[in-house]
Amino acid sequence: MGEKYADPAGPQPPYPLHPSVKDKLDPIYVDFYNSHIFDKQQVHLQPVSASRTSGILIPGGGPKLPVGKTEDIQIQRRETEGPDMPVRVFTPEGERPSDGWPVMVYYHGGGWVLGNIETENTVCTNLCKRAKCVVISVDYRLAPENPYPAAVHDSWEALLWLQSTGISQLHLNPSKVAIGGSSAGGNLAAAMCHKALSSPALVPSFKVQLLIVPVTDNTASPSRTVSWKENEFSPALPAEKMMWYRRHYLPDEKSWKEPEASPLLYEDGWAEQPKALVVVGELDVLRSEGEQYAEKLRKGGVEVDLKVMKGMPHPFLAMDGVLQQGRDTITFMVEALKEAFA
């Protein structure tokens, strides 16, 4: 799976916007797509290796902001098998607070198949500089080489390291910890918030979770999920591409229903969740599962701020250089952190 369109006889660019969504998309996105994206080969129609070496994952990103220090650390595992794992640590400029820096643990997007420690540095530096907190970006292993649950294990190991070593090593405030991520990273962050309930002494407790266009239901499909049906042919993440990611990450279909793969399917623990910012795109296949996740949190009595970004397909956060909705989402994240850490 994933190599089948390496043959030149497979689908080739250009890829005009589909009639089902073309007139619903924000005009600025449409102009950028037609100028920069529609003539490029799509990720799910070429080998994984080609997508990993083709440069920028999503064009249209804004600049990184200057921070006090950026360092990469290799962390050792405590519970799972595998190599040491890299994390990137962004530290703000200026003097450290007397009780230590607040900290945000961040998981990047890319469908558990693409992306790396470089992918969302723009978002991470914005959060670091503007919310005045340390940001730890986790470089979890990717499928198909390392399918589920490798990314879950790595996400958890980062939290174990943070509690046992990172807080003291990086001079962090253990009472001011946030967690979050985008897309596949939002999936991992949500799963970690639930998983943390079973081992409260081993990992930090979280003041807030920031879930941006999160995958919460890996059983979703056009036949049973409203936004999958409405946005089946939406650009950037059509249903076919989401299934390509899913089948790489979750090759065993029986695992699709496991809560650590589909956090929407956790049966309990909702009342104990940290307050949440959930941001979804109106024209994203993942919109419904993000909305349903926010609703489950609300029913559990958790404070939730749900934002639906009008006219937006999936990747608006990564397109903050072009889209106001991307810049606004980063600002929502910064303000949620400032409030949580106040």
Side-chain angles (χ1 to χ4, degrees):
M1 185 78 184
E3 306 296 310
K4 72 175 188 175
Y5 291 124
D7 182 343
Q12 297 296 309
Y15 303 104
L17 291 165
H18 196 271
S20 64
V21 293
K22 180 165 63 79
D23 296 334
K24 302 176 187 176
L25 289 160
D26 184 287
I28 294 175
Y29 178 85
V30 171
D31 287 346
F32 187 83
Y33 181 91
N34 288 334
S35 300
H36 299 281
I37 300 175
F38 93 114
D39 59 345
K40 306 294 190 296
Q41 182 57 289
Q42 296 194 17
V43 161
H44 62 296
L45 302 180
Q46 65 182 1
V48 171
S49 57
S51 296
R52 287 179 179 166
T53 57
S54 60
I56 295 170
L57 192 56
I58 298 168
K64 292 183 287 188
L65 298 187
V67 298
K69 183 168 66 170
T70 303
E71 60 180 323
D72 293 349
I73 298 173
Q74 295 284 332
I75 68 174
Q76 294 185 333
R77 293 173 184 275
R78 285 157 174 79
E79 289 187 0
T80 61
E81 294 295 321
D84 289 355
M85 189 174 63
V87 296
R88 178 163 291 174
V89 181
F90 303 87
T91 303
E93 299 166 314
E95 190 173 341
R96 183 175 73 241
S98 58
D99 54 356
W101 291 112
V103 58
M104 164 80 185
V105 181
Y106 192 84
Y107 302 103
H108 68 77
W112 314 278
V113 174
L114 305 174
N116 55 39
I117 209 165
E118 303 285 346
T119 302
E120 293 187 45
N121 285 354
T122 292
V123 175
C124 291
T125 56
N126 266 272
L127 301 182
C128 175
K129 185 178 182 69
R130 295 167 60 189
K132 291 186 166 45
C133 67
V134 165
V135 178
I136 298 172
S137 178
V138 181
D139 198 13
Y140 55 88
R141 290 170 294 171
L142 301 176
E145 299 87 347
N146 297 283
Y148 172 86
V152 174
H153 289 169
D154 292 3
S155 300
W156 183 246
E157 289 287 357
L159 300 180
L160 295 173
W161 165 81
L162 179 60
Q163 182 77 336
S164 65
T165 306
I167 284 173
S168 57
Q169 180 179 334
L170 300 173
H171 309 290
L172 307 176
N173 185 333
S175 68
K176 294 183 177 181
V177 183
I179 190 169
S182 72
S183 195
N187 165 277
L188 295 168
M192 292 305 101
C193 287
H194 282 275
K195 190 173 172 64
L197 300 178
S198 63
S199 303
L202 297 180
V203 297
S205 61
F206 306 115
K207 301 287 283 187
V208 68
Q209 55 184 319
L210 311 183
L211 308 179
I212 314 303
V213 294
V215 185
T216 71
D217 182 6
N218 268 307
T219 70
S221 68
S223 64
R224 57 183 295 272
T225 309
V226 171
S227 61
W228 275 65
K229 183 179 178 67
E230 291 177 352
N231 304 312
E232 183 173 0
F233 304 104
S234 190
L237 192 64
E240 181 187 10
K241 182 178 177 183
M242 187 61 217
M243 289 303 301
W244 180 87
Y245 284 131
R246 183 187 295 172
R247 291 189 184 281
H248 278 313
Y249 179 55
L250 298 160
D252 180 0
E253 209 165 311
K254 293 192 292 292
S255 65
W256 295 5
K257 292 182 178 179
E258 292 182 13
E260 287 187 352
S262 296
L264 184 65
L265 305 185
Y266 274 101
E267 292 183 1
D268 48 30
W270 292 94
E272 293 77 42
Q273 291 296 296
K275 73 176 180 179
L277 168 69
V278 182
V279 185
V280 298
E282 180 189 21
L283 304 179
D284 185 0
V285 292
L286 303 179
R287 186 196 74 230
S288 292
E289 60 203 80
E291 292 172 331
Q292 290 164 2
Y293 200 84
E295 183 58 24
K296 270 201 165 181
L297 288 169
R298 278 204 185 111
K299 284 182 175 174
V302 175
E303 183 184 338
V304 182
D305 185 7
L306 172 66
K307 311 275 191 187
V308 181
M309 306 307 281
K310 299 297 183 187
M312 286 292 102
H314 182 70
F316 56 89
L317 174 67
M319 298 179 67
D320 63 299
V322 176
L323 299 173
Q324 184 61 45
Q325 293 90 336
R327 294 189 287 275
D328 288 346
T329 299
I330 293 175
T331 297
F332 296 151
M333 297 169 79
V334 169
E335 293 303 321
L337 291 176
K338 283 182 175 177
E339 181 183 331
F341 296 149

